[in-house]
Amino acid sequence: MPNPVGFALNGSTNGALKTMVARVRAGTARGRIVWKGDSTTVGQGCGTGAPYYLAGARANRVPAVLAGLLSASGTPALDNAMVGDNGMNQAGKFPFVSYDTRFAIGAPAGSFAVFQSLPGGSYYSPGTGVFSFTPTASVNIFEVVIYNLSANILTFLIDGIAPQSIVIDKFTGSPSATTVGNTVVAAGGTGFSRAIITASTTGVHTLSCTSSASSGAGIRSILGFASGVRAIDMLVHTSLGASAAQQADISSEGWTNNGALAFDAPDLTIVNCGLNDMAGGVSTAAYAGSLQTIINTAKLSGDVLLVFPHRCIAPLNNNVANYLVTAAVLAASNTCAFMSLDQYFGGVVDSRLVDGAHGSAAFYGEVGDVLKRCISAMVA
């Protein structure tokens, strides 16, 4: 199949992506794709319920579509993680449990998302209640990333009993969290600690968490997987309302979106930003600077696919021609693969956009197929 209209390799060799795909196909190790972007990657539009169409949207978002297409082509992939709340607070405080039905808040309802000043900068504080996460696939490992904001003790159970083990295997900032039995003890500070929580069997499991404090160290992300199955994991850092600058943020509270990208260390980062920048009248120079920050961090661990967004109605199409040139030139100068959805869809507003900006499930399905073809070209 020919490369999609709007795609350019730009001389990229994509060694990290090729190595990752090879090891996943060989069954020797897992791989990781991180997504940076806005509501169009979160999946706004492909769920139900006007005006946001977010109910149940997680299952139809582009990362989920791409994971399915990669798996069908012989490269197992899963969109099986939870990262923050993907900015649901930006949509009239839309309930995250309606967007992602794998997540539940028990009684008393003390669990809540703590929102920083930038979309995407959220994490869950269990408060005095209980929250739980049940991946749809069979798992025996939960990888939990904890934001070390302030002192807290997080107690974890799997299906109501203590897990087989909890180990802190990675941290950044200081000090690292520690473990005592089935608890993770955060002393407060900066950065992240990653806890590997293991179940005694592989199957459909529910991870639940309670907290010793009404606020404090919280959970940035949870990824569930089966240790005996090698696949690509999707970590969706994207957020409703996010601009490129917010996805590239390097300045907030010792915890940043850019720091989260470095911590997760993906083999491939897919970046699709620009709509909210255009709507906000951000200069092309500032837009390019933010993308450059993301690219620089992404390249510390892997390769980059820079995506320019599809055409939308005003004001999300302000200065679109100059933005497109800016993104294309930046991708070429960084030897990054580039895909212009604006060019692919002919520079017009597609009739499948439910509100002139956000796609239906059918539209995002086609975007997922386009990105699958891009990745195929990058590993060829």
Side-chain angles (χ1 to χ4, degrees):
M1 182 177 292
N3 293 340
V5 173
F7 176 74
L9 271 173
N10 289 324
S12 59
T13 57
N14 304 299
L17 175 61
K18 290 176 181 177
T19 299
M20 179 262 281
V21 169
R23 70 175 182 257
V24 169
R25 287 176 176 170
T28 59
R30 303 186 74 80
R32 180 160 294 189
I33 295 177
V34 163
W35 299 71
K36 304 287 283 183
D38 54 34
S39 55
T40 61
T41 305
V42 173
Q44 184 171 345
C46 67
T48 59
Y52 302 114
Y53 302 97
L54 282 166
R58 191 207 68 84
N60 298 319
R61 67 187 184 183
V62 174
V65 172
L66 179 60
L69 292 172
L70 288 170
S71 296
S73 67
T75 305
L78 295 167
D79 179 18
N80 209 27
M82 179 201 83
V83 182
D85 80 325
N86 298 119
M88 292 298 138
N89 196 50
Q90 307 296 314
K93 300 185 185 298
F94 186 85
F96 184 67
V97 294
S98 295
Y99 169 74
D100 188 344
T101 56
R102 304 169 305 163
F103 181 87
I105 298 176
S111 176
F112 59 95
V114 178
F115 303 99
Q116 299 200 19
S117 59
L118 61 153
S122 63
Y123 59 94
Y124 273 93
S125 174
T128 57
V130 180
F131 80 78
S132 64
F133 178 69
T134 308
T136 54
S138 291
V139 304
N140 70 317
I141 302 291
F142 289 94
E143 177 187 292
V144 180
V145 176
I146 296 161
Y147 173 40
N148 303 320
L149 175 64
S150 59
N152 204 353
I153 300 174
L154 303 176
T155 300
F156 292 97
L157 298 174
I158 296 178
D159 302 330
I161 62 175
Q164 183 177 30
S165 64
I166 304 179
V167 176
I168 303 295
D169 80 325
K170 182 178 182 180
F171 71 93
T172 185
S174 179
S176 169
T178 58
T179 63
V180 179
N182 63 320
T183 67
V184 174
V185 181
T190 61
F192 303 100
S193 296
R194 186 171 71 188
I196 304 300
I197 304 176
T198 304
S200 58
T201 62
T202 299
V204 178
H205 291 300
T206 296
L207 178 74
S208 61
C209 180
T210 57
S211 171
S212 66
S214 59
S215 63
I219 293 176
R220 160 63 177 174
S221 63
I222 306 175
L223 169 64
F225 60 89
S227 58
V229 178
R230 308 308 186 189
I232 299 171
D233 297 306
M234 306 283 179
L235 290 174
V236 183
H237 289 201
T238 62
S239 176
L240 304 183
S243 65
Q246 289 165 330
Q247 286 284 285
D249 181 75
I250 60 174
S251 62
S252 61
E253 289 187 26
W255 176 96
T256 71
N257 280 330
N258 196 57
L261 174 59
F263 188 84
D264 284 336
D267 303 286
L268 174 67
T269 302
I270 299 177
V271 185
N272 183 359
C273 297
L275 293 178
N276 293 304
D277 302 81
M278 287 186 276
V282 175
S283 71
T284 55
Y287 171 62
S290 298
L291 292 180
Q292 187 66 65
T293 295
I294 297 171
I295 290 169
N296 290 346
T297 302
K299 282 198 165 190
L300 295 175
S301 61
D303 298 309
V304 177
L305 172 58
L306 182 59
V307 179
F308 188 76
H310 59 268
R311 185 69 62 97
C312 297
I313 59 174
L316 299 171
N317 62 358
N318 287 342
N319 203 17
V320 64
N322 289 329
Y323 261 71
L324 173 55
V325 170
T326 297
V329 170
L330 186 71
S333 67
N334 283 277
T335 323
C336 295
F338 179 70
M339 178 65 215
S340 170
L341 294 176
D342 186 86
Q343 291 174 298
Y344 175 82
F345 288 108
V348 298
V349 179
D350 194 278
S351 61
R352 292 170 296 176
L353 300 182
V354 298
D355 55 7
H358 302 99
S360 63
F363 180 82
Y364 288 143
E366 185 168 351
V367 172
D369 180 70
V370 169
L371 297 186
K372 163 61 172 59
R373 290 164 62 189
C374 293
I375 290 174
S376 295
M378 292 169 71
V379 300

